[in-house]
Amino acid sequence: MNYRILIFFCCVFISCNKNGISKKYYSNGNLKEKRYSTKNKTQFDSMIVYFEKFRNIPKSSIFLKNDSTYYQRNYFNNGNIKSDGHFVKNENFKIGKWKFYSINGYKESVMEYLNIRDKSYLNQTWVFDKKGDTLFGNKGHFYETNVSDTLLLGKANRIHFFLKEPFFSSESDVFVLLPKDEETLKDYFQNENTIEWDSIENIASRYKKVEYEDYNLNVVFDIQPIGVGEKKLRGIIMEKGQLPDDKSKYAIRKIYFDIPYYVIGNDGNGTE
């Protein structure tokens, strides 16, 4: 392990040419789709999809970034960007941070998608006003942390996770799960349900004192890196909160984290 824990349907017509460009048309004769392919016939390099009722106005554009990742930009019929981001496999498998805009052009939200057990998972959400300021009050769902990109070998490094915008409410009970043995956790959290986890309480639950009762969204612990080089701090922020329609019932909302850091030796470089 890397550390010790210390505390529609429509008719379509298709035309192709020898230059790797294929076109599809709506039943009304308007251009529906234009694809550009240079590598092979099964995978396109870029594609533009057009509105059916608005002639030759792009609805979305897609570009191949590498062998498996595409960049997509969607538009309103006035030409303004509606959303943009990356996907793999198909357009429903979003990954990374997607930006969403109003029809008037200002950014309304950012949503972070992760590949969790081979599914696109909405991990965090930030919502903004017209000035670009972050909105709070059950509008989004995100955390903050102080994990440094460089940690010192053998030293106890204080880690702080703060659920700055909870999914349920500010009264939620938050705790962090870390794998007992980090090396057993597979990529994309594939074996999340079969490995052992350490559970770390929030400050309010741990100390149960009046002066800490408002720290239920804060989890603090120390880690002591073992070995120099590139490492990762991986785990899950668990938020247990009351359901808005039934206060007698609770649910869990998860935020996954996979944070890279580099461990240096006591001499200030990558040697022990």
Side-chain angles (χ1 to χ4, degrees), residues 138 142-143 160-176 200-220 237-242 250 253:
N138 301 116
F142 59 91
Y143 75 92
H160 179 198
F161 280 94
F162 172 40
L163 188 58
K164 191 166 185 177
E165 179 67 355
F167 184 81
F168 297 109
S169 77
S170 59
E171 298 179 356
S172 293
D173 185 28
V174 174
F175 55 99
V176 167
I200 305 174
E201 295 179 308
N202 61 70
I203 294 175
S205 297
R206 179 183 296 175
Y207 297 106
K208 295 181 173 61
K209 294 182 179 181
V210 175
E211 58 264 39
Y212 297 125
E213 63 184 9
D214 294 330
Y215 288 82
N216 54 300
L217 303 180
N218 294 264
V219 177
V220 175
I237 300 172
M238 308 286 285
E239 177 189 357
K240 181 181 179 182
Q242 293 178 320
Y250 291 82
R253 180 65 167 85

Side-chain angles (χ1 to χ4, degrees), residues 20-231:
I21 302 176
S22 63
K23 299 178 182 180
K24 292 182 180 181
Y25 295 84
Y26 291 107
S27 57
N28 63 6
N30 287 344
L31 181 62
K32 176 181 180 177
E33 175 187 297
K34 186 187 294 184
R35 292 191 180 210
Y36 301 84
S37 302
T38 58
K39 292 184 177 180
N40 54 62
K41 296 181 180 180
T42 61
Q43 185 178 41
F44 62 90
D45 298 312
S46 62
M47 177 174 69
I48 302 175
V49 179
Y50 299 85
F51 285 99
E52 181 178 9
K53 297 181 179 180
F54 304 95
R55 184 179 178 86
N56 295 331
I57 296 179
K59 182 178 181 181
S60 69
S61 56
I62 300 173
F63 304 92
L64 180 66
K65 298 288 288 187
N66 55 48
D67 290 339
S68 61
T69 305
Y70 289 88
Y71 168 75
Q72 180 175 7
R73 177 177 288 179
N74 302 307
Y75 304 89
F76 292 103
N77 57 31
N78 67 356
N80 286 343
I81 299 173
K82 185 177 183 179
S83 63
D84 71 323
H86 295 86
F87 70 86
V88 294
K89 299 181 181 180
N90 59 68
E91 295 180 39
N92 295 319
F93 205 119
K94 295 180 173 67
I95 58 168
K97 290 184 178 179
W98 275 70
K99 299 175 183 178
F100 297 84
Y101 302 84
S102 73
I103 194 169
N104 295 318
Y106 71 86
K107 186 169 62 178
E108 292 184 319
S109 64
V110 173
M111 297 183 181
E112 178 193 54
Y113 293 87
L114 299 180
N115 181 346
I116 300 296
R117 300 193 304 279
D118 290 329
K119 292 182 179 180
S120 179
Y121 179 81
L122 176 55
N123 199 49
Q124 299 186 86
T125 301
W126 297 261
V127 181
F128 308 95
D129 62 17
K130 293 182 179 181
K131 295 180 180 180
D133 296 325
T134 304
L135 292 174
F136 293 91
N138 301 116
K139 295 292 184 179
H141 180 224
F142 59 91
Y143 75 92
E144 288 186 350
T145 185
N146 68 333
V147 179
S148 174
D149 57 358
T150 304
L151 300 181
L152 188 62
L153 177 68
K155 178 183 177 181
N157 296 268
R158 180 62 48 88
I159 306 299
H160 179 198
F161 280 94
F162 172 40
L163 188 58
K164 191 166 185 177
E165 179 67 355
F167 184 81
F168 297 109
S169 77
S170 59
E171 298 179 356
S172 293
D173 185 28
V174 174
F175 55 99
V176 167
L177 295 181
L178 295 176
K180 283 184 176 293
D181 184 349
E182 208 283 334
E183 293 181 356
T184 65
L185 180 58
K186 296 181 179 179
D187 291 341
Y188 313 121
F189 292 79
Q190 291 281 14
N191 57 342
E192 168 191 345
N193 298 320
T194 58
I195 67 170
E196 292 185 277
W197 298 86
D198 279 313
S199 178
I200 305 174
E201 295 179 308
N202 61 70
I203 294 175
S205 297
R206 179 183 296 175
Y207 297 106
K208 295 181 173 61
K209 294 182 179 181
V210 175
E211 58 264 39
Y212 297 125
E213 63 184 9
D214 294 330
Y215 288 82
N216 54 300
L217 303 180
N218 294 264
V219 177
V220 175
F221 56 92
D222 290 349
I223 64 171
Q224 181 176 313
I226 300 175
V228 299
E230 297 178 351
K231 309 290 182 180

